[in-house]
Amino acid sequence: VKRLLLLPPDHTRLYSYAGAITAELWRTLHGSVEIDILPALGTHLPMTEEQLRMMFGDEIPLERFIAHDWRNDLESLGVLPEDFLAELSEDRMRSSVEVAVNQRIVSGDYDLVLSIGQVVPHEVIGFANHSKNVCIGCGGGQMLHQSHFLGAVCGIEQVLGVVDTPVRRLMDEGFYRFVKPRADVRFLLTVVEDKPAGPQLRAVTAGDGSECFRWAAELSGELNLTRVDRPIARCVVYLDPREFQSTWLGNKAVYRTRKAMANDGQLIVLAPAVHTFGEDKAIDTQIRKHGYRGTPATLAALEDDPELAGNLSAAAHLIHGSTEDRFSVTYCTGDGLSAEEVQSVGYNHRPYADAAAAY
């Protein structure tokens, strides 16, 4: 290998150990291998210099980092037929899906593409990483929108923490049929356990197929899912300000507790740095327009709003961020979002300082 492309996650996977692994690969190899780093941003904003240094340390020159543009940096590789999506969705969706990834991955400029990241329960696909890191994190367009919407119509309760899901099958089919024949992509995956002293690396697994992922997912299911004896009546979630500045990201607080919340329960989200809804202007506009009002309201909005219909990942996010009227969500923000803004999208509001003092 003379030219190497690394695909680590961004700062929203700060505790994945992928930053340290990327830095160690650079430290070990950069004298003999030309290395570029393409963080798997998906729809997230490009990382700032401060975020890059926080995640990857100070040694890697900033010019080696490439910001993925999910709208413009893509190369189309092929199309999965509408019958396949109909089968996966039990006929709730009927459309073909274009598979496209960042053109650098399939350009032929690199001898090896190494996808690095954490296997962890995920609300859209069941467990994050593997083919998702390539086809979504470094992809975009139809695959991004339709996979998220597929996960939403299947329901978090049927997806989160499940290894074999419709979205996983969609992602693997796109990767192995269209990406793998064009590029030597291999995986380096971590499993991290949340311990009282902080996140602890429990496993690293590697390979060029799905076996390494499935092994890691089974372990993650043991270490990263908390099972409760009874539904939770009141749950308080803290959003680390270094990771979460939007509800687009911060609604992991909703995704990751929804299966455990009691009917008529309270979810209280301490969100000191949240200052916006969407990570880009178009999605922010859709969230402000339609709010987090549940599946029936979102499906009705899709019928009436062509812009939302053209942005299925935003529609999926609105469904995922709702409680389907089962429990309440109170966002506790600082100066970033006003009470009126938070309430306008369907959540309750409480000032962060008050809630932080209480909880």
Side-chain angles (χ1 to χ4, degrees), residues 304-321:
D304 298 332
D305 186 346
E307 289 188 12
L308 184 62
N311 194 340
L312 287 179
S313 63
H317 170 76
L318 298 180
I319 292 173
H320 282 143

Side-chain angles (χ1 to χ4, degrees), residues 72-153:
N72 301 306
D73 285 352
L74 304 178
E75 180 168 335
S76 177
L77 303 178
V79 175
L80 298 173
E82 64 178 46
D83 288 351
F84 182 58
L85 196 61
E87 177 188 341
L88 293 177
S89 67
E90 297 181 346
D91 230 21
R92 286 172 285 193
M93 295 177 68
R94 272 199 168 273
S95 57
S96 58
V97 184
E98 180 188 46
V99 179
V101 298
N102 190 292
Q103 56 85 22
R104 292 175 180 84
I105 295 173
V106 292
S107 65
D109 292 340
Y110 299 96
D111 304 308
L112 178 65
V113 180
L114 188 57
S115 177
I116 307 166
Q118 181 183 3
V119 175
V120 66
H122 191 274
E123 64 282 350
V124 173
I125 196 170
F127 282 89
N129 226 276
H130 189 249
S131 54
K132 177 183 181 292
N133 201 51
V134 180
C135 295
I136 295 294
C138 298
Q142 288 186 13
M143 178 67 88
L144 189 151
H145 292 306
Q146 290 169 295
S147 64
H148 279 70
F149 195 66
L150 174 62
V153 299

Side-chain angles (χ1 to χ4, degrees), residues 138-334:
C138 298
Q142 288 186 13
M143 178 67 88
L144 189 151
H145 292 306
Q146 290 169 295
S147 64
H148 279 70
F149 195 66
L150 174 62
V153 299
C154 291
I156 283 177
E157 286 74 13
Q158 283 69 51
V159 171
L160 181 63
V162 178
V163 177
D164 186 20
T165 66
V167 179
R168 172 59 61 190
R169 294 197 290 273
L170 175 69
M171 216 62 59
D172 283 355
E173 185 71 15
F175 176 78
Y176 286 107
R177 186 188 294 191
F178 295 117
V179 181
K180 187 67 172 171
R182 294 277 304 273
D184 187 1
V185 181
R186 306 190 192 194
F187 300 97
L188 183 58
L189 306 173
T190 68
V191 179
V192 178
E193 185 177 11
D194 188 19
K195 302 288 282 184
Q200 178 182 340
L201 182 65
R202 288 297 303 272
V204 178
T205 180
D208 65 353
S210 62
E211 184 180 356
C212 60
F213 162 74
R214 292 181 179 277
W215 183 89
E218 292 292 343
L219 180 61
S220 175
E222 296 174 18
L223 300 178
N224 301 143
L225 291 173
T226 301
R227 292 167 174 83
V228 295
D229 295 328
R230 61 186 183 277
I232 299 171
R234 178 185 293 168
C235 182
V236 182
V237 177
Y238 175 71
L239 298 181
D240 188 329
R242 296 175 297 174
E243 292 190 76
F244 302 107
Q245 291 94 44
S246 66
T247 61
W248 180 260
L249 299 179
N251 272 356
K252 294 179 192 299
V254 182
Y255 309 158
R256 295 179 181 179
T257 60
R258 207 170 92 172
K259 287 181 80 166
M261 289 300 298
N263 293 338
D264 300 320
Q266 300 175 55
L267 176 63
I268 298 161
V269 185
L270 304 180
V274 169
H275 61 84
T276 188
F277 295 114
E279 288 276 294
D280 69 19
K281 187 175 181 180
I283 289 175
D284 187 79
T285 299
Q286 291 297 319
I287 296 171
R288 291 174 184 271
K289 183 176 182 180
H290 297 290
Y292 301 100
R293 307 193 190 280
T295 300
T298 304
L299 294 178
L302 280 169
E303 296 291 329
D304 298 332
D305 186 346
E307 289 188 12
L308 184 62
N311 194 340
L312 287 179
S313 63
H317 170 76
L318 298 180
I319 292 173
H320 282 143
S322 81
T323 70
E324 307 295 354
D325 293 326
R326 282 207 308 108
F327 56 93
S328 67
V329 177
T330 300
Y331 251 87
C332 308
T333 60

